[in-house]
Coordinates of all heavy atoms in Angstrom, one line a residue:
V29 N -13.1 -3.0 -14.3 CA -12.3 -3.7 -13.3 C -13.4 -4.4 -12.4 O -14.1 -3.7 -11.6 CB -11.4 -2.9 -12.5 CG1 -10.6 -3.8 -11.4 CG2 -10.4 -2.2 -13.3
T30 N -13.7 -5.7 -12.5 CA -14.6 -6.3 -11.7 C -13.8 -6.7 -10.4 O -12.6 -7.0 -10.4 CB -15.2 -7.6 -12.2 OG1 -14.2 -8.6 -12.2 CG2 -15.8 -7.4 -13.7
G31 N -14.5 -6.5 -9.2 CA -13.8 -6.7 -8.0 C -13.0 -5.4 -7.7 O -12.0 -5.5 -7.0
G32 N -13.4 -4.3 -8.3 CA -12.6 -3.1 -8.3 C -12.5 -2.4 -6.9 O -11.7 -1.5 -6.7
G37 N -7.9 -5.1 -6.8 CA -8.6 -4.3 -7.7 C -8.5 -2.8 -7.5 O -8.4 -2.0 -8.5
L54 N -16.6 -2.3 -10.8 CA -17.7 -3.0 -10.5 C -17.5 -4.0 -9.3 O -16.5 -4.7 -9.3 CB -18.1 -3.8 -11.8 CG -19.4 -4.7 -11.8 CD1 -19.9 -4.9 -13.2 CD2 -19.2 -6.1 -11.1
D55 N -18.5 -3.9 -8.3 CA -18.2 -4.8 -7.1 C -19.5 -5.0 -6.4 O -20.4 -4.1 -6.4 CB -17.2 -4.0 -6.3 CG -16.4 -4.9 -5.4 OD1 -17.1 -5.6 -4.5 OD2 -15.2 -5.1 -5.6
N56 N -19.8 -6.2 -5.8 CA -21.0 -6.3 -5.0 C -20.7 -6.0 -3.5 O -21.5 -6.2 -2.6 CB -21.5 -7.8 -5.1 CG -20.7 -8.8 -4.5 OD1 -19.5 -8.5 -4.0 ND2 -21.1 -10.0 -4.3
T59 N -16.4 -8.4 -0.1 CA -15.2 -8.2 0.6 C -14.5 -6.9 0.3 O -13.5 -6.5 0.9 CB -14.2 -9.4 0.4 OG1 -14.0 -9.5 -1.0 CG2 -14.7 -10.7 1.0
H79 N -22.8 -4.2 -8.4 CA -23.4 -5.2 -9.2 C -22.7 -6.5 -8.8 O -21.6 -6.6 -8.4 CB -23.1 -4.8 -10.7 CG -23.7 -6.0 -11.6 ND1 -25.0 -6.0 -12.0 CD2 -23.1 -7.0 -12.3 CE1 -25.2 -7.0 -12.8 NE2 -24.0 -7.7 -13.0
D80 N -23.6 -7.6 -9.0 CA -23.0 -9.0 -8.7 C -22.8 -9.7 -10.1 O -23.6 -9.7 -10.9 CB -24.0 -9.7 -7.9 CG -23.5 -11.0 -7.3 OD1 -22.9 -11.8 -8.1 OD2 -23.6 -11.1 -6.0
V81 N -21.6 -10.1 -10.2 CA -21.1 -10.6 -11.6 C -22.0 -11.9 -12.0 O -22.0 -12.4 -13.0 CB -19.6 -11.0 -11.7 CG1 -18.8 -9.7 -11.8 CG2 -19.2 -12.0 -10.6
V82 N -22.6 -12.5 -10.9 CA -23.5 -13.7 -11.2 C -24.6 -13.3 -12.1 O -25.2 -14.1 -12.8 CB -23.8 -14.4 -9.9 CG1 -24.9 -15.4 -10.1 CG2 -22.7 -15.0 -9.2
Y93 N -10.7 -6.3 -16.7 CA -9.8 -7.1 -15.7 C -10.9 -7.7 -14.8 O -11.6 -7.1 -14.0 CB -9.0 -6.1 -14.9 CG -7.8 -5.4 -15.6 CD1 -7.9 -4.3 -16.3 CD2 -6.5 -6.1 -15.6 CE1 -6.8 -3.7 -17.0 CE2 -5.5 -5.5 -16.2 CZ -5.6 -4.3 -16.9 OH -4.5 -3.7 -17.5
H94 N -11.0 -9.0 -15.0 CA -12.0 -9.7 -14.2 C -11.4 -10.4 -12.9 O -10.8 -11.4 -12.8 CB -12.5 -10.8 -15.1 CG -13.7 -11.6 -14.5 ND1 -14.6 -11.2 -13.5 CD2 -13.9 -13.0 -14.4 CE1 -15.4 -12.0 -13.1 NE2 -15.1 -13.2 -13.7
L95 N -11.6 -9.6 -11.8 CA -11.0 -9.9 -10.5 C -12.0 -10.4 -9.4 O -11.7 -10.8 -8.3 CB -10.2 -8.7 -9.9 CG -8.7 -8.6 -10.3 CD1 -8.6 -8.4 -11.8 CD2 -8.2 -7.4 -9.6
A96 N -13.3 -10.1 -9.8 CA -14.4 -10.3 -8.8 C -14.4 -11.8 -8.3 O -14.7 -12.7 -9.0 CB -15.7 -10.0 -9.4
C97 N -14.1 -12.0 -7.1 CA -14.2 -13.4 -6.4 C -13.5 -13.1 -5.0 O -12.5 -12.5 -5.0 CB -13.3 -14.3 -7.2 SG -13.4 -16.0 -6.5
P98 N -14.2 -13.6 -4.0 CA -13.5 -13.5 -2.7 C -12.2 -14.4 -2.7 O -12.2 -15.4 -3.4 CB -14.5 -14.1 -1.7 CG -15.5 -14.9 -2.5 CD -15.5 -14.3 -3.9
A99 N -11.1 -13.9 -2.1 CA -9.8 -14.5 -2.3 C -9.2 -15.2 -1.2 O -8.4 -16.0 -1.1 CB -8.9 -13.5 -2.8
T111 N -19.3 -18.9 -3.9 CA -18.0 -18.7 -4.5 C -17.8 -19.3 -5.9 O -17.3 -18.7 -6.8 CB -17.0 -19.3 -3.5 OG1 -17.1 -18.6 -2.3 CG2 -15.5 -19.2 -4.0
T114 N -19.7 -17.5 -8.5 CA -19.1 -16.3 -8.9 C -18.0 -16.6 -9.9 O -17.9 -15.9 -10.9 CB -18.4 -15.7 -7.6 OG1 -19.4 -15.2 -6.7 CG2 -17.5 -14.4 -8.0
S115 N -17.3 -17.6 -9.7 CA -16.1 -18.0 -10.7 C -16.7 -18.5 -12.0 O -16.2 -18.1 -13.0 CB -15.1 -19.0 -10.1 OG -14.2 -18.3 -9.3
V116 N -17.7 -19.3 -11.9 CA -18.2 -20.0 -13.1 C -19.3 -19.1 -13.9 O -18.9 -18.8 -15.0 CB -18.8 -21.4 -12.8 CG1 -19.4 -22.0 -14.1 CG2 -17.8 -22.3 -12.2
G118 N -20.1 -16.0 -13.1 CA -19.6 -14.7 -13.3 C -18.6 -14.6 -14.4 O -18.7 -13.7 -15.3
T119 N -17.8 -15.6 -14.7 CA -16.8 -15.6 -15.6 C -17.5 -15.8 -17.1 O -17.2 -15.1 -18.0 CB -15.7 -16.6 -15.5 OG1 -15.1 -16.3 -14.2 CG2 -14.6 -16.6 -16.5
L122 N -19.0 -12.4 -18.0 CA -18.0 -11.4 -18.5 C -17.4 -11.8 -19.9 O -17.2 -10.9 -20.7 CB -17.0 -11.2 -17.5 CG -17.1 -10.1 -16.4 CD1 -17.5 -8.7 -17.0 CD2 -18.2 -10.4 -15.4
L134 N -9.0 -10.1 -19.2 CA -7.9 -10.8 -18.4 C -8.6 -11.5 -17.1 O -9.3 -10.8 -16.4 CB -6.9 -9.7 -17.9 CG -5.8 -10.3 -17.0 CD1 -4.5 -9.5 -17.3 CD2 -6.2 -10.1 -15.5
L135 N -8.4 -12.7 -17.0 CA -9.0 -13.5 -15.8 C -7.9 -13.6 -14.8 O -6.8 -13.9 -15.0 CB -9.3 -14.9 -16.3 CG -9.7 -15.8 -15.1 CD1 -11.1 -15.5 -14.5 CD2 -9.6 -17.2 -15.5
A136 N -8.3 -13.1 -13.6 CA -7.4 -13.3 -12.4 C -7.6 -14.7 -11.9 O -8.5 -14.9 -11.1 CB -7.7 -12.2 -11.3
Y167 N -13.1 -22.7 -4.3 CA -12.3 -21.6 -5.0 C -11.4 -22.3 -6.0 O -11.4 -21.7 -7.2 CB -11.4 -21.0 -3.8 CG -10.7 -19.9 -4.2 CD1 -11.1 -18.6 -4.5 CD2 -9.2 -20.1 -4.3 CE1 -10.3 -17.6 -4.9 CE2 -8.4 -19.0 -4.6 CZ -8.9 -17.7 -4.9 OH -8.1 -16.7 -5.3
K171 N -11.9 -21.6 -10.0 CA -10.9 -20.9 -10.8 C -10.4 -21.8 -12.0 O -10.1 -21.3 -13.1 CB -9.7 -20.5 -10.0 CG -9.9 -19.4 -9.0 CD -10.1 -18.0 -9.7 CE -10.2 -16.9 -8.7 NZ -10.4 -15.6 -9.3

Side-chain angles (χ1 to χ4, degrees):
V29 180
T30 74
L54 179 157
D55 207 293
N56 71 349
T59 52
H79 179 81
D80 194 308
V81 292
V82 168
Y93 286 89
H94 180 37
L95 273 61
C97 182
T111 299
T114 294
S115 273
V116 178
T119 303
L122 270 305
L134 177 146
L135 171 74
Y167 182 72
K171 290 285 188 180

